[in-house]
Amino acid sequence: KSDGPVINLIQIQEFLNSVDKTQPISFIDFETFSSAIPLDGSKPFQDHAIQFSSAVMNVNGAITRNDYISTQLVDVSQEFAEQLLDSVADDGAILVWYAPFEKKIIKGLAANVPTLSGDLLALNDRIVDLMSPFSKGGYVDRAFEGSFSLKKVLPVLAPDLSYSDLSVTNGSQIGSQWLEMVQTEDVQRKFKIMSDLQQYCSLDTTAMIRIYQELNSLMTS
């Protein structure tokens, strides 16, 4: 009715208090592939982790980024898990958008790589869902159009960031684009798709960083 945002500062502060700022803060985003024809040793329509983007924000605010993308039409759980564990901070919160999905992927990796299952499952204990201040009513804006997806929230809190300029603009494109990338024999096309996928996934983590920073700014303005 007011045509403006409804912001519950107490609720947002409670969320921010759940993130230990004395430790580095990690941000991760996963992309997956599934198919009716399963990869070797898997099931039809099983989600396979094929890509991630991560960022670690140190206590001084400096940010270190890492990216990984599979280039093979096989299960790369071992390599994916090793790269993931190396890319996040040893301690501190891990911020994601919609925790059930990320936790599910990590559980799947743990099942596929028993030698690293303990370290992988320990990541889930550190996950904090950045979507929760929005999905639980701490910050509501009519521009979200009733959704709490990253692509609805980002334009409101950080209008200078946009997916519209990317070749890959939403997650539904990932599977078909990745499949083309690993199967094509056109080297230029392969590297173009790889770059497009990396830009998309990287923007997801950049978006989370900005949204987290904007939430903190609300408490100091």
Side-chain angles (χ1 to χ4, degrees), residues 33 50 69-73 168 173-194 196-197:
F33 170 79
I50 57 169
I69 185 168
S70 168
T71 57
Q72 307 172 67
L73 194 61
V168 176
Q173 298 173 266
I174 298 295
S176 60
Q177 289 287 295
W178 178 79
L179 188 61
E180 181 183 351
M181 182 195 76
V182 298
Q183 291 182 326
T184 184
E185 296 181 0
D186 184 331
V187 176
Q188 288 187 331
R189 178 62 178 160
K190 183 183 293 287
F191 280 98
K192 173 64 167 63
I193 297 173
M194 182 184 296
D196 291 341
L197 292 174

Side-chain angles (χ1 to χ4, degrees), residues 77-108:
S77 294
Q78 179 79 36
E79 182 178 71
F80 191 102
E82 291 171 354
Q83 295 279 343
L84 175 63
L85 290 169
D86 286 342
S87 74
V88 297
D90 294 334
D91 297 294
I94 299 174
L95 268 61
V96 302
W97 198 272
Y98 188 59
F101 175 75
E102 259 70 20
K103 287 185 174 183
K104 173 188 172 184
I105 298 304
I106 290 173
K107 286 180 180 178

Side-chain angles (χ1 to χ4, degrees), residues 6-216:
V6 177
I7 302 173
N8 186 327
L9 293 178
I10 294 176
Q11 193 170 337
I12 291 174
Q13 186 63 69
E14 289 175 350
F15 167 79
L16 294 174
N17 289 344
S18 70
V19 179
D20 184 357
K21 296 180 180 62
T22 67
Q23 299 284 346
I25 301 170
S26 302
F27 300 80
I28 57 173
D29 179 75
F30 296 138
E31 302 297 341
T32 60
F33 170 79
S34 65
S35 172
I37 301 174
L39 301 183
D40 291 345
S42 65
K43 301 175 182 179
F45 299 111
Q46 179 177 331
D47 281 328
H48 289 277
I50 57 169
Q51 181 181 6
F52 73 76
S53 174
S54 73
V56 177
M57 180 187 294
N58 293 325
V59 293
N60 62 3
I63 296 172
T64 303
R65 304 193 66 111
N66 284 283
D67 297 281
Y68 171 86
I69 185 168
S70 168
T71 57
Q72 307 172 67
L73 194 61
V74 295
D75 186 353
V76 293
S77 294
Q78 179 79 36
E79 182 178 71
F80 191 102
E82 291 171 354
Q83 295 279 343
L84 175 63
L85 290 169
D86 286 342
S87 74
V88 297
D90 294 334
D91 297 294
I94 299 174
L95 268 61
V96 302
W97 198 272
Y98 188 59
F101 175 75
E102 259 70 20
K103 287 185 174 183
K104 173 188 172 184
I105 298 304
I106 290 173
K107 286 180 180 178
L109 288 170
N112 291 341
V113 191
T115 56
L116 297 176
S117 62
D119 292 336
L120 289 165
L121 293 175
L123 299 181
N124 277 352
D125 295 333
R126 297 162 51 194
I127 283 180
V128 177
D129 197 340
L130 184 56
M131 189 178 78
S132 64
F134 304 93
S135 62
K136 294 180 179 179
Y139 193 124
V140 181
D141 193 297
R142 67 179 300 171
F144 296 165
E145 298 179 340
S147 170
F148 307 111
S149 74
L150 191 57
K151 292 172 185 62
K152 290 295 185 181
V153 174
L154 181 64
V156 176
L157 273 74
D160 56 305
L161 293 179
S162 174
Y163 290 83
S164 61
D165 296 331
L166 302 182
S167 295
V168 176
T169 57
N170 65 77
S172 65
Q173 298 173 266
I174 298 295
S176 60
Q177 289 287 295
W178 178 79
L179 188 61
E180 181 183 351
M181 182 195 76
V182 298
Q183 291 182 326
T184 184
E185 296 181 0
D186 184 331
V187 176
Q188 288 187 331
R189 178 62 178 160
K190 183 183 293 287
F191 280 98
K192 173 64 167 63
I193 297 173
M194 182 184 296
S195 176
D196 291 341
L197 292 174
Q198 289 175 321
Q199 287 181 46
Y200 174 82
C201 195
S202 179
L203 182 53
D204 279 348
T205 49
T206 298
M208 287 191 286
I209 291 169
R210 277 293 301 277
I211 290 171
Y212 175 72
Q213 291 172 331
E214 292 299 323
L215 290 178
N216 277 280

